[in-house]
Amino acid sequence: MNLKSTLLIFIDGLGIGKADKKINPFFKYKFKIFTEYFNQIPSLSNRYIEKDETAFLFPTDAHLGIPGLPQSGTGQTSIFCGINAAKKIGKHFGPYPYSTLIPIIEKKNIFEEFLRLNKKVAFANAYPSIFFDYVNKGRRRLSVSTLSCILSNVKLRSSTDLRHSNAVSAEIDNEYWVKKLHYKIPIILPKTAAKRLLRLTERNHFTMFEYFHTDHLGHGRNKGDMEERLSVLDDFLFYVFTHIENDTNLIVCSDHGNLEDISVKTHTRNPALTITIGKDAKILRRKIKHLYDIKKAILGLYK
């Protein structure tokens, strides 16, 4: 199917930090996406990296003119809805969206905007049955991405989709589904998950995948699994970076800093990391300065 496709990979809690392997996993574990793809590791002293005219790495402002540590609820609302959510409510807030932001999310989320343009959209993440039980009980403490899909009637993928290779698990390789949730599905290679995501991307105008384990690791959770989890993420991203179609645009973005400084268990004041790859990568890099620029920059490619 010949579509103008955009893939957004949202990675929670990923900033640009100090060039210090004692506190910055980017330097301790030498991510291939940095050392082999960009040939440089980003840091506060090396914020802007250009591979060529179709691949850029750069910082994005997550403070949004509001004092305090950036948080997920306002940061993600800013990204997915194209507004300065922190300014709207007068503070950073998270991890879930502030109640007064929900009507804005319903009307302005990026899925809704693409649907208004009669474009095909997909949220690639798979959800286990316990999540659907949670939602069916009327619970609404949901991330901005999930809430956006529910409010805009975008399909939330299930274990059936995961089994049929039409979705990607939040941890990429299905390990949590197998070892914690006891699903009888295979643990897969990161490149297998990447292939699934790329196939889904080719069938839609806009596809999104969300990865949140980076934020958990940054907060000190599952610290013993850090090297393994980050290796899975790196392999997954490296395959996507090196195999995405030439006419597809890729944006990797985050809502705030965290993982890049594991000396603290809170979010950081560092800029969020953003990567653009594809034929319009330079346009996207030029237009994205703040979190709330990301949605407008993506939609601008379709207008």
Side-chain angles (χ1 to χ4, degrees):
M1 188 177 294
N2 187 20
L3 297 176
K4 181 183 179 72
S5 298
T6 298
L7 171 60
L8 175 64
I9 298 179
F10 170 74
I11 303 178
D12 199 338
L14 200 64
I16 297 177
K18 294 179 180 179
D20 184 347
K21 66 180 181 180
K22 292 180 181 178
I23 65 171
N24 191 339
F26 294 169
F27 287 86
K28 182 175 182 179
Y29 299 119
K30 303 291 178 67
F31 282 39
K32 291 196 300 291
I33 59 170
F34 301 138
T35 59
E36 294 183 28
Y37 187 80
F38 281 104
N39 296 315
Q40 299 178 62
I41 304 174
S43 68
L44 291 174
S45 58
N46 187 27
R47 302 178 182 214
Y48 295 88
I49 301 174
E50 179 178 337
K51 176 180 171 66
D52 52 39
E53 288 293 300
T54 62
F56 302 89
L57 184 155
F58 54 95
T60 300
D61 167 50
H63 285 278
L64 309 177
I66 301 298
L69 290 177
Q71 300 294 328
S72 295
T74 41
Q76 292 170 28
T77 302
S78 298
I79 293 170
F80 303 139
C81 297
I83 66 162
N84 187 335
K87 184 177 180 181
K88 189 78 176 175
I89 66 171
K91 61 182 177 180
H92 297 287
F93 184 85
Y96 305 107
Y98 200 71
S99 58
T100 56
L101 293 175
I102 293 176
I104 296 173
I105 294 170
E106 182 174 15
K107 293 179 181 178
K108 292 183 174 290
N109 77 76
I110 192 167
F111 293 107
E112 184 70 23
E113 298 276 16
F114 267 103
L115 291 171
R116 286 198 194 108
L117 295 173
N118 294 314
K119 303 298 183 184
K120 298 181 67 175
V121 302
F123 188 40
N125 290 65
Y127 290 81
S129 59
I130 55 172
F131 167 80
F132 293 102
D133 292 341
Y134 174 86
V135 172
N136 290 335
K137 290 177 182 177
R139 309 285 175 77
R140 287 287 167 164
R141 288 173 63 84
L142 303 170
S143 68
V144 178
S145 56
T146 306
L147 184 60
S148 295
C149 289
I150 290 175
L151 293 173
S152 296
N153 294 312
V154 174
K155 178 181 178 179
L156 291 178
R157 294 167 193 270
S158 67
S159 58
T160 300
D161 296 292
L162 191 60
R163 284 193 178 96
H164 292 158
S165 304
N166 291 322
V168 180
S169 67
E171 75 280 14
I172 297 170
D173 60 1
N174 300 345
E175 183 174 283
Y176 179 82
W177 285 64
V178 173
K179 294 184 177 180
K180 300 293 185 181
L181 300 178
H182 307 296
Y183 277 84
K184 293 182 179 179
I185 57 175
I187 293 176
I188 61 175
L189 293 173
K191 73 175 184 179
T192 302
K195 288 177 182 178
R196 293 178 180 181
L197 181 60
L198 291 175
R199 283 199 301 270
L200 195 59
T201 299
E202 291 169 8
R203 300 199 297 264
N204 292 279
H205 295 96
F206 176 73
T207 302
M208 178 178 154
F209 173 69
E210 177 177 39
Y211 186 87
F212 55 79
H213 291 282
T214 36
D215 196 55
H216 289 184
L217 291 169
H219 284 305
R221 299 181 217 166
N222 307 316
K223 207 167 184 178
D225 297 331
M226 180 175 288
E227 184 172 4
E228 179 186 355
R229 286 294 95 204
L230 293 182
S231 176
V232 168
L233 175 62
D234 184 36
D235 287 348
F236 172 78
L237 291 174
F238 189 77
Y239 190 92
V240 171
F241 287 13
T242 54
H243 289 81
I244 196 162
E245 294 290 334
N246 292 333
D247 58 352
T248 298
N249 286 301
L250 168 66
I251 301 97
V252 178
C253 68
S254 188
D255 48 354
H256 53 73
N258 187 353
L259 179 70
E260 78 287 351
D261 185 353
I262 58 172
S263 68
V264 295
K265 292 185 179 180
T266 62
H267 297 169
T268 70
R269 300 181 188 278
N270 293 325
L273 183 148
T274 306
I275 294 170
T276 59
I277 296 173
K279 65 177 183 178
D280 297 314
K282 193 170 187 177
I283 295 172
L284 292 167
R285 185 204 62 171
R286 190 171 66 245
K287 290 185 175 181
I288 297 171
K289 306 296 182 186
H290 312 277
L291 297 184
Y292 53 76
D293 295 328
I294 294 172
K295 173 196 159 187
K296 185 178 180 181
I298 294 171
L299 284 168
L301 302 177
Y302 293 82
K303 295 180 179 179

